[in-house]
Amino acid sequence: MSKNVSIDISLCHANKISPSHGFTDKELEVLVKQIKDYHNEILQERKIKKYGFFELYKDKDTKERIKKVAADFLNHGIENLVILGIGGSALGITALNTALNGPYYNLLSRECRKGSPRLFVMDNIDPTTFKRVMELCPPEKTLYNAISKSGETAETMCQLLIILKELENSISPEKIKEHLVITTSPKGENAPKSLLHPIAEKYGTIQFEIPLNVGGRFSVFSPVGLFPASLLGFDIDALAEGCAEMDTICSNPSFENNPAYQFAGTHYILDKDKGKKISVMMPYSDRLKDIADWYCQLWAESLGKKDDIDGNEIFNGQTPVKALGVTDQHSQIQLYREGPNDKIINMVLVKNFGENLPVPKILDEIPELEYIRGQSMGDLLHAEFQGTKDALTLSQRPVVLLQMEEISEYTVAQLLYMLEVATAMAGKLYKINAFNQPGVEEGKKIARRLMLEKKQNLC
């Protein structure tokens, strides 16, 4: 039985949900021709290493170094791992940890965690939250991983300055390198200098490099994600194997056999031709809920662009929304079925949860519970999935089905890699640059100016 992640877009076809809301054979035929041409463009860009996320899993030297460094820190008895990073520096490891360790990992004893540290991802600058984590994580028992490609991320640098002062007050300066790792851009003549480089040099800390051709939201399989993943006990070789297998699958120019192209093409055609302006990611597993969060950044920041590649104003992009099955059947599905038909719903099913929780055959005096007695919680979840899928189809709502045989390093890597490739292809279809984020920068500039003005006024 294949463990490969699979996709089914048949419920987006006009013959299932009407020509007003689904694609027709003729529309699909035009799309397939477009994708074939763009596939060749992507191959050429890979050859010249224009975008590096495709090849990250192949870097064996970096993986081996990561494993060695992680083992050394674990041998020193680190109890807490605190990630100082935001956006792509935070969402990837959060998604991996929730998927592979489960939502309540930090509550487990050190023995149950097999010696791995607790994980705290500081992806915001709420001072109350940050102070609480500082109280929970004594510096002498904590490893901090500061992640920023440029070192100019205001939020991360704010956090790091606070932590450095805390470290200086708690331990001797020469031991700070035992509690801090820097992940940033490479050093070299042709590389832009990172503000994290002089910090790493001052304290003698270990540095990991983020390749210059890899953007933050595509960096989960770089040291950004792999170093903390290794500390948490994940098999990063299995992550690479999952990426490699999905790369092979997604290198197929055939639309029918390429899940990434099916995902990208379906979203594009339903957005442009059928008015589906919202993409809902709805996994039916608590362990995958943060992958939906990761997807929201990937899809929004990559495709939400004011201009196309020719400089024309187009104000492009679907709005991604995260949901959780079955939780959000009781909060969002009412809107999705009877509200505006402007959404495409991506439902993710895990066939084998690895757990089987039987429902006891009790309370016979309540005949209305007969449908559930003697079955299992997993049986009910799968029935709820099927029921929601069928109900959405009855309401002529397009549904993309993504299926995983199990949740493991191999399959999670496949899902993430497939969505990254899908995003690259979607950028081609929309004729936009999927790898920049100009709309984010203006707010950062304004914030820095306000901070400087405030400081000048205080002086």
Side-chain angles (χ1 to χ4, degrees):
M1 182 180 295
S2 174
K3 289 186 178 181
N4 294 334
V5 173
S6 63
I7 189 170
D8 181 354
I9 61 170
S10 63
L11 296 179
C12 297
H13 197 284
N15 64 14
K16 293 289 180 70
I17 56 172
S18 87
S20 298
H21 301 294
F23 54 74
T24 65
D25 288 336
K26 186 175 181 180
E27 290 167 334
L28 189 59
E29 186 178 336
V30 173
L31 175 70
V32 168
K33 289 179 181 177
Q34 287 179 286
I35 284 178
K36 188 174 182 180
D37 291 337
Y38 289 133
H39 172 77
N40 292 327
E41 282 190 23
I42 288 174
L43 289 181
Q44 290 304 312
E45 289 171 350
R46 288 190 67 168
K47 285 182 181 178
I48 63 173
K49 301 187 183 329
K50 187 173 183 180
Y51 306 115
F53 80 90
F54 291 101
E55 320 294 339
L56 287 172
Y57 72 89
K58 298 178 181 179
D59 190 348
K60 294 181 180 178
D61 290 342
T62 296
K63 275 189 302 179
E64 290 307 311
R65 179 170 178 248
I66 283 171
K67 286 190 282 188
K68 182 182 184 305
V69 172
D72 288 343
F73 277 110
L74 291 173
N75 287 337
H76 282 84
I78 292 296
E79 295 182 9
N80 307 295
L81 171 61
V82 177
I83 304 295
L84 307 178
I86 196 168
S89 300
L91 291 168
I93 188 56
T94 300
L96 287 177
N97 185 58
T98 305
L100 300 172
N101 275 332
Y104 305 116
Y105 168 76
N106 278 359
L107 299 180
L108 299 175
S109 67
R110 186 174 179 83
E111 183 180 7
C112 290
R113 298 196 312 269
K114 299 179 180 178
S116 293
R118 298 185 298 174
L119 175 69
F120 298 89
V121 180
M122 297 291 93
D123 59 349
N124 204 347
I125 46 172
D126 183 315
T128 303
T129 302
F130 200 76
K131 183 67 181 297
R132 294 295 174 268
V133 169
M134 291 174 66
E135 292 168 351
L136 284 168
C137 302
E140 63 274 11
K141 297 181 179 179
T142 301
L143 175 63
Y144 302 92
N145 185 193
I147 306 172
S148 172
K149 195 171 181 181
S150 65
E152 296 181 0
T153 309
E155 300 88 351
T156 302
M157 298 309 287
C158 172
Q159 294 172 343
L160 180 57
L161 292 175
I162 293 169
I163 290 301
L164 283 171
K165 185 63 176 176
E166 188 77 4
L167 284 168
E168 289 178 350
N169 291 339
S170 303
I171 60 177
S172 58
E174 64 271 13
K175 288 193 173 182
I176 287 178
K177 63 184 178 182
E178 298 174 11
H179 297 272
L180 178 64
V181 168
I182 299 292
T183 305
T184 190
S185 60
K187 294 180 67 176
E189 294 182 3
N190 298 322
K193 187 168 183 178
S194 166
L195 296 184
L196 285 171
H197 289 156
I199 295 173
E201 290 166 7
K202 177 177 180 177
Y203 296 102
T205 64
I206 288 172
Q207 296 181 67
F208 286 109
E209 296 181 349
I210 308 169
L212 293 177
N213 59 355
V214 175
R217 58 190 176 275
F218 291 89
S219 67
V220 63
F221 298 117
S222 77
V224 170
L226 293 188
F227 175 60
S230 189
L231 282 164
L232 293 168
F234 303 149
D235 185 345
I236 62 174
D237 290 322
L239 288 171
E241 290 165 8
C243 290
E245 180 62 22
M246 187 52 69
D247 188 14
T248 299
I249 295 169
C250 292
S251 295
N252 192 326
S254 166
F255 179 84
E256 293 79 8
N257 297 310
N258 190 318
Y261 292 176
Q262 289 185 48
F263 188 93
T266 299
H267 280 73
Y268 170 76
I269 198 170
L270 293 185
D271 175 14
K272 288 300 184 183
D273 296 345
K274 311 296 175 177
K276 311 307 175 194
K277 297 297 181 184
I278 297 172
S279 173
V280 180
M281 183 59 71
M282 190 172 187
Y284 273 68
S285 167
D286 287 340
R287 293 169 64 187
L288 300 182
K289 67 183 181 69
D290 287 327
I291 287 180
D293 214 5
W294 173 87
Y295 167 76
C296 284
Q297 186 207 11
L298 181 72
W299 206 244
E301 200 166 66
S302 298
L303 304 182
K305 301 294 161 63
K306 178 173 70 74
D307 301 325
D308 66 14
I309 55 175
D310 297 318
N312 302 306
E313 281 195 350
I314 57 171
F315 299 101
N316 183 75
Q318 284 179 312
T319 299
V321 173
K322 57 182 177 179
L324 178 64
V326 298
T327 299
D328 287 312
Q329 289 177 196
H330 295 266
S331 62
Q332 298 181 27
I333 288 297
Q334 173 63 34
L335 172 67
Y336 298 166
R337 284 203 67 206
E338 297 188 3
N341 196 341
D342 57 355
K343 303 165 192 69
I344 178 168
I345 296 96
N346 306 286
M347 301 178 70
V348 188
L349 179 67
V350 180
K351 286 190 69 177
N352 179 11
F353 278 89
E355 303 283 352
N356 184 30
L357 205 57
V359 179
K361 296 180 181 179
I362 59 175
L363 297 178
D364 292 342
E365 63 272 24
I366 307 177
E368 291 85 355
L369 295 178
E370 188 56 35
Y371 75 98
I372 199 172
R373 270 192 289 266
Q375 300 201 62
S376 73
M377 187 175 286
D379 292 332
L380 178 59
L381 187 143
H382 284 105
E384 297 262 14
F385 173 92
Q386 184 72 36
T388 301
K389 173 180 70 69
D390 292 349
L392 287 166
T393 301
L394 285 171
S395 299
Q396 299 184 359
R397 313 293 158 134
V399 174
V400 169
L401 300 178
L402 294 165
Q403 185 165 289
M404 303 170 68
E405 189 66 31
E406 64 183 17
I407 296 177
S408 65
E409 286 94 339
Y410 182 83
T411 59
V412 169
Q414 281 203 344
L415 180 61
L416 298 182
Y417 191 90
M418 185 276 287
L419 290 171
E420 289 180 334
V421 177
T423 304
M425 175 53 76
K428 294 292 185 185
L429 291 166
Y430 284 112
K431 295 183 173 61
I432 54 94
N433 183 350
F435 298 94
N436 65 358
Q437 53 279 339
V440 179
E441 301 307 317
E442 193 61 37
K444 293 180 180 179
K445 292 176 184 176
I446 294 170
R448 288 191 184 96
R449 187 180 73 240
L450 291 171
M451 292 292 285
L452 284 172
E453 289 174 356
K454 182 178 180 181
K455 188 169 185 177
Q456 289 167 356
N457 291 335
L458 289 173
C459 294

